[in-house]
Amino acid sequence: MSDQPKIELRNVSKAFGSNHVLRDVSFSVTPGESMTVIGGSGSGKSVMLKCILGLMDVDGGQIFVDGADVCAMKQADRDDVRTKFGMLFQGGALFDSLPVWRNVTFALTSGRYRNSGEMRKVALDNLERVGLGEEVLELRPSELSGGMQKRVALARAIAPRPEIIFFDEPTTGLDPIRTDVINRLILELVRDLGITALTITHDMGSVEKISDRVAMLYDGRIIWSGPVGDLRRSGDVHVDQFVMGHADGPIA
Amino acid sequence: MSNTAAPNPVILFFAAIGRPVIAAFAAIGHVTLFALHTIRKALTPPWYPLRLFEQMFQIGWASLPVVALTAIFTGAALAQQIYTGGSRFNAQSTVPAIVVIAMVRELGPVLVGLMVAGRVSSAMAAEIGTMRVTEQIDAMVTLRTDPYRYLIAPRLFASVITLPILVCIANVIGIFGGYLLSIYKLGFNPANYLTMTADILEFDDIMMSLVKAAVFGFFIALSGCYAGLTTRGGAAGVGRATTNAVVGAFILILLSNLIVTLTAFG
Ligand SMILES: Nc1ncnc2c1ncn2[C@@H]1O[C@H](COP(=O)(O)OP(=O)(O)O)[C@@H](O)[C@H]1O
Ligand SMILES: [Mg+2]
């Protein structure tokens, strides 16, 4: 049982018209680990996450969550499986018509006005976890800085205590100090709450700080995966070019 | 491509006609499926009554000033036209009858439908479209909330409920506009005018008005929500969605108006 992967992708493919974003993606994430997928902008990392969540349908291949093939499921069953996941979207994706506390507790009330007093407390608990306090509870997302929005989005993603959490470029657009704050939060969440994490990023500093294992997505395939310690001696020219950040190399 | 013969102009001609026709049928199919999907979702909980009331307020209350203005000006202009036109064959006395029939059966629902479509379809498309391109819709799904139940169904039902109310108000105000002009400019007797209005108005007229209003309300929200939810491509996409929503709603309103009218008299 314990060696069953939390998430497993087998030969997943996805195209938009003639744009073959994912050609043949296979990899797995074991329970409780922090896995990171790296890859260039537009390489299909976000699409891959949306396929796992069922926000997009795959064209081919299978996706297993706790051993169950989610692509073969009925919509209602898929909705149930989705409650295992939390996701931090690339742009935060906070609901700009709702105050922060309603954003954070949205999953718990399914968007209804319920137990407002209690929900405020729950919101505050989760906000404190990401280093925010009471002063933001009543603010609208548009009144927050970019870094604070990311943190509120993070609090929202962890509030229902998901088993698995996806981070889509959690540190893009943040300064080095805020980047470190977010990285530390991700580490804490994985360690303290026992959450399985799948992070997408092209920030090499974050990769080395937060990952147990790393995979690289290139040309619609996972071309390399291994422990984070092996990243700098992968022996793959694409990985080397990406890790070193060279303009010259096989990746155009 | 290089080794094929020169394209046959006849085929090109039919292709040019066929492509938009096929696209139109595809769009009708998609919108129909979208409507059925929303209604099926709305039959089972969770329901969002608060969202429904919020939308009814947004659609109804906020539209009142523009609806009232449109109705009173149109009613007054209508009275003058009928009076002038009717005088050509000594039928000036038909003013109250024709004002009430034209207003209740046709102008009330259509004018309110078009005015509200301009306001509401566009607003719905812009709001939902922005949520789509900023991934708020995707986020909602991952937060265990169905956007069809939370966003779409309340708008659809609020619009279907609210439009008949707005149309009733517009009918009354429109008839009142005709009344004012007839009394103060055309010299009608107030008591006579009201009696003639009440005498000519039938239950069927009011029914037709309400049915049209509900149908238009459905199409207004349907067009706005569909355009919003299918938005692609950032801010420009939201702009396109807004335009499509209004154009779509106008076409659906005018077409369904004709169909309802013909069905009732067919
Ligand atoms: N909904 C969509 N419709 C059409 N094309 C899409 C859609 N979403 C993503 N794409 C395309 O898929 C490719 C990969 O996008 P994405 O996964 O967002 O890249 P990234 O690796 O930077 O996250 C891009 O070329 C993008 O244009
Ligand atoms: Mg992305």
Side-chain angles (χ1 to χ4, degrees), chain A residues 229-243:
Chain A
D230 293 350
L231 188 59
R232 291 190 183 273
R233 40 195 161 84
S234 63
D236 185 299
V237 282
H238 299 88
V239 177
D240 283 345
Q241 187 195 349
F242 193 87
V243 171

Side-chain angles (χ1 to χ4, degrees), chain A residues 205-218:
Chain A
S206 297
V207 174
E208 298 189 316
K209 191 155 277 169
I210 65 172
S211 332
D212 299 321
R213 279 197 315 133
V214 183
M216 176 151 171
L217 182 64
Y218 174 71

Side-chain angles (χ1 to χ4, degrees), chain A residues 18-19 21 25 41 50 83 89 94 98 101 111 118-119 138 170 179 182 198 222 224 238 248:
Chain A
S18 60
N19 180 8
V21 179
V25 173
S41 306
K50 287 180 184 172
T83 62
F89 283 84
L94 294 172
L98 301 177
W101 72 272
E118 191 192 323
M119 283 303 145
E138 301 296 334
T179 298
I182 296 283
L198 177 55
I222 299 290
W224 181 85
H238 299 88
D248 302 321

Side-chain angles (χ1 to χ4, degrees), chain B residues 130-141:
Chain B
T130 304
M131 292 184 75
R132 167 57 87 197
V133 300
T134 57
E135 297 186 314
Q136 291 179 52
I137 306 268
D138 287 336
M140 188 174 285
V141 175

Side-chain angles (χ1 to χ4, degrees), chain B:
Chain B
M1 278 313 269
S2 55
N3 57 0
T4 51
N8 184 334
V10 178
I11 290 177
L12 280 183
F13 174 75
F14 283 109
I17 297 175
R19 224 171 277 121
V21 171
I22 291 169
F25 276 110
I28 292 169
H30 284 133
V31 174
T32 309
L33 287 179
F34 172 79
L36 292 176
H37 186 71
T38 305
I39 291 167
R40 200 168 52 231
K41 289 281 180 123
L43 294 179
T44 53
W47 291 298
Y48 295 95
L50 215 62
R51 293 274 92 74
L52 181 73
F53 294 131
E54 214 173 78
Q55 287 301 320
M56 286 175 66
F57 184 81
Q58 292 259 327
I59 298 167
W61 185 251
S63 298
L64 266 183
V66 55
V67 161
L69 281 178
T70 315
I72 197 155
F73 294 151
T74 307
L78 190 61
Q80 179 68 60
Q81 292 282 16
I82 296 163
Y83 185 82
T84 313
S87 66
R88 292 179 196 155
F89 43 94
N90 277 330
Q92 296 95 321
S93 61
T94 57
V95 168
I98 297 185
V99 165
V100 73
I101 286 180
M103 205 65 215
V104 172
R105 299 192 80 114
E106 195 68 28
L107 289 173
V110 171
L111 286 176
V112 170
L114 295 179
M115 294 308 272
V116 175
R119 270 196 73 245
V120 171
S121 293
S122 53
M124 285 179 180
E127 189 180 356
I128 298 176
T130 304
M131 292 184 75
R132 167 57 87 197
V133 300
T134 57
E135 297 186 314
Q136 291 179 52
I137 306 268
D138 287 336
M140 188 174 285
V141 175
T142 67
L143 295 168
R144 309 173 183 187
T145 305
D146 185 345
Y148 284 90
R149 291 195 176 95
Y150 185 84
L151 291 173
I152 313 295
R155 284 172 169 75
L156 220 49
F157 286 96
S159 192
V160 171
I161 297 168
T162 312
L163 257 282
I165 302 173
L166 278 176
V167 166
C168 282
I169 295 171
N171 289 343
V172 172
I173 294 178
I175 293 167
F176 182 65
Y179 168 83
L180 284 183
L181 190 110
S182 304
I183 303 306
Y184 291 106
K185 180 156 180 289
L186 309 177
F188 275 80
N189 174 296
N192 275 350
Y193 190 98
L194 289 180
T195 322
M196 285 165 81
T197 299
D199 281 351
I200 198 82
L201 189 64
E202 285 176 6
F203 179 72
D204 281 358
D205 302 326
I206 298 172
M207 267 321 280
M208 174 175 273
S209 202
L210 296 183
V211 168
K212 282 184 175 179
V215 171
F216 298 167
F218 181 76
F219 285 141
I220 286 169
L222 185 67
S223 185
C225 292
Y226 179 79
L229 211 59
T230 52
T231 302
R232 295 265 175 285
V238 174
R240 277 193 302 276
T242 311
T243 312
N244 290 346
V246 175
V247 174
F250 275 31
I251 293 173
L252 285 169
I253 286 173
L254 296 172
L255 187 65
S256 63
N257 178 56
L258 180 62
I259 292 172
V260 172
T261 305
L262 292 180
T263 310
F265 296 121

